[in-house]
Amino acid sequence: MDTMEDERERIEIELLLEAIFRLYGHDFRNYAYSSIRRRIWHRVQSERLTTISGLQERVLHDQGCMSRLLADMTIHVTEMFRDPEMFRAFREEVVPLLRTYPFIRIWHAGCSTGEEVYSMAILLHEEGLYDKARIYATDTNGDVLNIAREGVFPLDRMQQYTRNYMDAGGKASFSEYYTAKYDSVIIHSFLKKNLVFGQHNLVTDSSFNEFNVIFCRNVMIYFNKQLQDHVHHLLYDSLSVFGVLALGMKESINFSKHADAYENLDRQHRLYRKIR
């Protein structure tokens, strides 16, 4: 791509993202450029258009197109007990801290379709802590939140999820937590009783509670430095002193302005404890 074409494309992308923010309130303006560019072009081709400007026109006048683009923009790669070694470390290093609390508030920010939320509910249940816990699960995308609320997942994923559960230090039979029906499984209702699902945008919304644990895993890898700093500040404001922050394996609090406010609880598994 020559310089003029590259500049034209960048302008089109900036105009599209500005239009989405002003009309729909979704702010992707500080997402990593290469990632957002790839997703926009995927939607351009899927809509059988030839230009990003053409996509902007359609997005402004067609709510359905905006919904499809939103699904492209928000990444939903997740699984139950994803990175099982992290869940094992959480069980061994964080659960003893949680036992000292009279009530536990946990926030899963960017929860996607909810697999990690139910994983945490199972872990807390096995440790005898679920009855005194409330798990808040949020995402920008209402469609994936509806999937999370339902707690219905494909049966063909259960073999992998069972391996993850066992590697994460599971104490029972994983099949005890769901009922198989046709080609799906339904998470048992007792695991849903202390879950609260709601829409929340890390880019545009503020803190809504104080939490003992915050999971924000594999979300900030799609943001540029400016937006990462913004989200780090939001998480810091939302976490109680001595609360635990869990990030993704490719993420870190290093080089954030609040880095000195945390200690490494488990550096390898990205578990940090807020100390001030």
Side-chain angles (χ1 to χ4, degrees), residues 107-112 138-140 200 202 215-217 219:
W107 179 20
H108 281 260
C111 71
S112 187
T138 65
D139 202 277
T140 60
H200 181 276
L202 288 169
F215 273 69
C216 187
R217 303 181 67 236
V219 175

Side-chain angles (χ1 to χ4, degrees), residues 228-239:
Q228 288 176 6
D229 288 342
H230 169 81
V231 174
H232 272 299
H233 183 68
L234 173 62
L235 300 178
Y236 175 82
D237 278 351
S238 303
L239 192 63

Side-chain angles (χ1 to χ4, degrees), residues 127-141:
E127 297 296 335
L129 295 174
Y130 189 52
D131 286 342
K132 68 172 185 176
R134 182 68 51 84
I135 302 176
Y136 297 81
T138 65
D139 202 277
T140 60
N141 189 320

Side-chain angles (χ1 to χ4, degrees), residues 93-107:
E93 300 175 43
V94 180
V95 163
L97 304 176
L98 300 183
R99 293 194 191 283
T100 67
Y101 298 158
F103 189 76
I104 304 163
R105 283 190 298 271
I106 298 177
W107 179 20

Side-chain angles (χ1 to χ4, degrees), residues 43-59:
R43 182 46 44 195
V44 169
Q45 293 158 3
S46 298
E47 298 289 325
R48 298 183 180 180
L49 300 169
T50 57
T51 66
I52 295 171
S53 294
L55 179 63
Q56 176 181 315
E57 180 181 12
R58 184 165 295 180
V59 162

Side-chain angles (χ1 to χ4, degrees), residues 72-176:
D72 293 335
M73 295 287 221
T74 50
I75 302 302
H76 304 294
V77 179
T78 187
E79 57 188 43
M80 294 195 75
F81 294 96
R82 184 182 187 185
D83 300 324
E85 296 82 5
M86 188 285 303
F87 278 94
R88 181 182 287 273
F90 187 94
R91 193 186 291 263
E92 295 172 354
E93 300 175 43
V94 180
V95 163
L97 304 176
L98 300 183
R99 293 194 191 283
T100 67
Y101 298 158
F103 189 76
I104 304 163
R105 283 190 298 271
I106 298 177
W107 179 20
H108 281 260
C111 71
S112 187
T113 45
E115 283 89 336
E116 289 192 60
V117 178
Y118 290 108
S119 302
M120 180 55 59
I122 290 169
L123 187 154
L124 294 176
H125 167 74
E126 292 185 350
E127 297 296 335
L129 295 174
Y130 189 52
D131 286 342
K132 68 172 185 176
R134 182 68 51 84
I135 302 176
Y136 297 81
T138 65
D139 202 277
T140 60
N141 189 320
D143 292 334
V144 299
L145 278 174
N146 288 334
I147 295 172
R149 282 191 191 95
E150 291 295 319
V152 178
F153 302 112
L155 178 62
D156 60 12
R157 296 182 188 172
M158 288 304 111
Q159 190 173 6
Q160 177 62 51
Y161 291 177
T162 300
R163 284 196 296 269
N164 288 354
Y165 166 76
M166 294 172 63
D167 290 343
K171 296 183 175 181
S173 170
F174 187 57
S175 60
E176 293 180 12

